[in-house]
Amino acid sequence: MINVLFIGPQGSGKGTQAKRLAAARGIPHIATGDSFRAAIADQTELGRQVQPYLDSGSLVPDELTIGLIRERLQQPDTAGGFVLDGFPRNMAQAHALDEMLAQIGRPLSVVFEFALSDEFALERCLGRAIEEGRPDDTAQVIVKRLTIYREQTEPIVGHYRAAGILVVIRAERSIDEVDADLAGALQQAVA
Ligand code: ADP
């Protein structure tokens, strides 16, 4: 069983890797951004509440986000492991996650930080914006999400470094190199 967390700025490729790892291991890929977008598409009450935050690139309020993850982690399909992607995104969420995982007796096995400079992140996001047409991928909203990442999300990396479970992946390199790094680190993490 492996419980993995991916942290990284927009454009770092963490979502792609998180999805792939989950598929390869047959464990759920839990991505708060995807859940919020699905809720918006389905026009649920949650979707209605979170839409303005996604549109403007702000963080959704913690009570909504933490509630969503608490419910998701209680689903039986997480018992064999899970991949978290996009949560936690600030210190309050990190502490809430610690508590939830302690309660269910399932600590994180490894945390991957996909480290990427702003220059690379911006360039990749703008490229993706043209390819995918996600509504929050305009230059202005991307810059806002990156600023929030540096100010609120990056500080939680230190929390996991102190816990001794952090692995830094240099995300500016080729997909093949990132793949190799990740595979090696995973082997060590489950050994
Ligand atoms: P990106 O990493 O490119 O910003 P995501 O799909 O991870 O894309 O997130 C999209 C949006 O969903 C965020 O800008 C934010 O509004 C919301 N969101 C996702 N995860 C969280 C979270 N853990 N806390 C608060 N808001 C979140």
Side-chain angles (χ1 to χ4, degrees):
M1 183 181 72
I2 185 159
N3 304 324
V4 189
L5 171 57
F6 283 83
I7 302 177
Q10 292 68 23
S12 63
K14 76 172 164 54
T16 305
Q17 293 289 353
K19 253 180 241 160
R20 255 210 239 167
L21 172 62
R25 302 249 165 183
I27 55 180
H29 170 234
I30 304 175
T32 36
D34 289 350
S35 304
F36 290 142
R37 277 186 292 277
I40 291 170
D42 295 345
Q43 302 187 319
T44 66
E45 173 61 19
L46 177 69
R48 195 189 56 70
Q49 286 177 304
V50 301
Q51 176 147 31
Y53 299 100
L54 270 86
D55 286 348
S56 66
S58 321
L59 291 188
V60 168
D62 283 344
E63 68 262 30
L64 291 177
T65 309
I66 291 169
L68 179 89
I69 290 291
R70 179 170 286 123
E71 270 180 33
R72 186 63 189 87
L73 286 175
Q74 280 165 1
Q75 303 298 313
D77 66 338
T78 62
F82 54 80
V83 176
L84 272 178
D85 169 9
F87 180 94
R89 242 171 159 100
N90 61 26
M91 215 37 130
Q93 293 180 8
H95 288 308
L97 179 65
D98 284 349
E99 242 171 69
M100 284 180 228
L101 295 179
Q103 263 171 16
I104 55 179
R106 283 199 245 128
L108 290 171
S109 316
V110 59
V111 175
F112 290 114
E113 179 202 7
F114 277 52
L116 191 67
S117 69
D118 279 342
E119 218 180 334
F120 268 95
L122 257 177
E123 194 184 298
R124 287 196 188 163
C125 280
L126 290 171
R128 187 176 71 180
I130 295 162
E131 281 167 26
E132 295 178 11
R134 229 174 79 175
D136 60 347
D137 270 351
T138 63
Q140 195 191 359
V141 177
I142 291 168
V143 168
K144 177 156 176 196
R145 278 155 47 219
L146 267 173
T147 305
I148 292 177
Y149 180 81
R150 298 297 177 205
E151 288 177 1
Q152 298 195 42
T153 309
E154 212 164 35
I156 71 177
V157 166
H159 177 68
Y160 297 113
R161 183 176 287 118
I165 53 173
L166 183 75
V167 174
V168 180
I169 303 284
R170 286 177 32 227
E172 79 282 357
R173 292 165 317 145
S174 72
I175 291 185
D176 284 350
E177 287 171 308
V178 169
D179 277 353
D181 251 24
L182 211 56
L186 274 168
Q187 236 171 15
Q188 278 196 338
V190 291

